[in-house]
Amino acid sequence: GESVGLHLPTLSVQEGDNSIINCAYSNSASDYFIWYKQESGKGPQFIIDIRSNMDKRQGQRVTVLLNKTVKHLSLQIAATQPGDSAVYFCAEIFPTGFQKLVFGTGTRLLVSP
Amino acid sequence: KAGVTQTPRYLIKTRGQQVTLSCSPISGHRSVSWYQQTPGQGLQFLFEYFSETQRNKGNFPGRFSGRQFSNSRSEMNVSTLELGDSALYLCASSLSASNEKLFFGSGTQLSVL
């Protein structure tokens, strides 16, 4: 079936470290990707997006890298803070007639003070 | 601007019952999507509505249905509830029908006993 990412791994980092969260997407024709952050008891929150004609995009403390050759996305968080602790999902837009956002299973980020 | 609002926040039902969940999108947003989130399956797409029309539907049985009203508010209904329907049901809205940059509500946590 459709899938983005695999299992739900956990990444544990110390406050102030840089974090890198990885994601494998499934459809080589997908042309738009989004990273979401989901805190406990809340819905996913948009972080950053990237289109397939780019390989890097930077936001505030976050950078997304796209490697279309190996169908891989990564989210880099600089100077990770305890408030960054959450589950992070990557998602891709399938280029069908009716666009549909397909989510991965997510990565849990734990930041220790 | 208020975010996506979902009601109720929590719901407990028994097998065989039916349930209706409500979603009010961000003002001005005309596209509403529904997702089911479970620990085992992650975020699974249910359906998307735009201008009161269902544009896309995920791989769920016919017991899952939805609709959208002229004010863009949406409801989803699950009939003949099964234990496996226990999940967090998330609604997301976007400005356009392209389904990009979804903004999520906090969800309705449904427990089926």
Side-chain angles (χ1 to χ4, degrees):
Chain A
E2 301 165 346
S3 66
V4 175
L6 293 171
H7 308 289
L8 181 63
T10 298
L11 176 64
S12 297
V13 301
Q14 293 288 119
E15 182 178 1
D17 288 350
N18 295 331
S19 302
I20 299 176
I21 299 171
N22 297 304
C23 171
Y25 62 91
S26 63
N27 192 331
S28 58
S30 292
D31 54 10
Y32 181 61
F33 305 88
I34 305 177
W35 279 99
Y36 282 90
K37 170 187 180 182
Q38 187 174 22
E39 297 174 278
S40 181
K42 299 183 179 179
Q45 176 187 2
F46 175 93
I47 302 173
I48 191 168
D49 57 357
I50 189 168
R51 298 203 176 271
S52 59
N53 61 352
M54 304 171 69
D55 53 21
K56 180 179 180 179
R57 189 162 188 223
Q58 288 184 290
Q60 186 175 18
R61 283 202 305 120
V62 294
T63 301
V64 54
L65 299 177
L66 174 62
N67 185 330
K68 294 180 287 294
T69 303
V70 294
K71 295 189 292 184
H72 183 268
L73 273 168
S74 69
L75 176 70
Q76 300 178 359
I77 304 174
T80 314
Q81 303 167 0
D84 295 327
S85 294
V87 176
Y88 289 80
F89 295 94
C90 66
E92 63 183 305
I93 291 273
F94 276 24
T96 57
F98 297 106
Q99 292 178 329
K100 183 177 68 175
L101 202 60
V102 177
F103 285 82
T105 52
T107 296
R108 185 177 305 279
L109 176 65
L110 296 175
V111 183
S112 304
Chain B
K1 184 187 271 192
V4 177
T5 304
Q6 290 188 247
T7 57
R9 186 73 179 87
Y10 301 95
L11 206 49
I12 299 175
K13 292 286 187 179
T14 56
R15 282 182 299 173
Q17 288 187 309
Q18 73 165 19
V19 66
T20 299
L21 311 181
S22 179
C23 172
S24 293
I26 292 172
S27 178
H29 284 197
R30 297 174 61 196
S31 175
V32 173
S33 299
W34 288 89
Y35 286 81
Q36 181 197 64
Q37 186 175 29
T38 59
Q41 297 296 318
L43 278 150
Q44 299 287 317
F45 173 76
L46 281 157
F47 25 66
E48 180 205 357
Y49 288 88
F50 178 76
S51 292
E52 302 178 66
T53 301
Q54 187 181 88
R55 284 170 36 88
N56 202 0
K57 190 177 192 302
N59 188 27
F60 278 82
R63 300 185 296 106
F64 292 81
S65 63
R67 59 178 176 168
Q68 186 181 32
F69 302 96
S70 58
N71 61 358
S72 295
R73 192 176 68 84
S74 177
E75 289 180 347
M76 68 162 283
N77 184 276
V78 188
S79 62
T80 320
L81 284 166
E82 301 177 359
L83 296 178
D85 296 333
S86 295
L88 179 66
Y89 290 88
L90 290 160
C91 168
S93 73
S94 62
L95 264 174
S96 69
S98 67
N99 215 20
E100 297 181 356
K101 287 191 181 179
L102 298 183
F103 294 87
F104 284 85
S106 293
T108 294
Q109 183 68 54
L110 172 65
S111 298
V112 182
L113 307 179

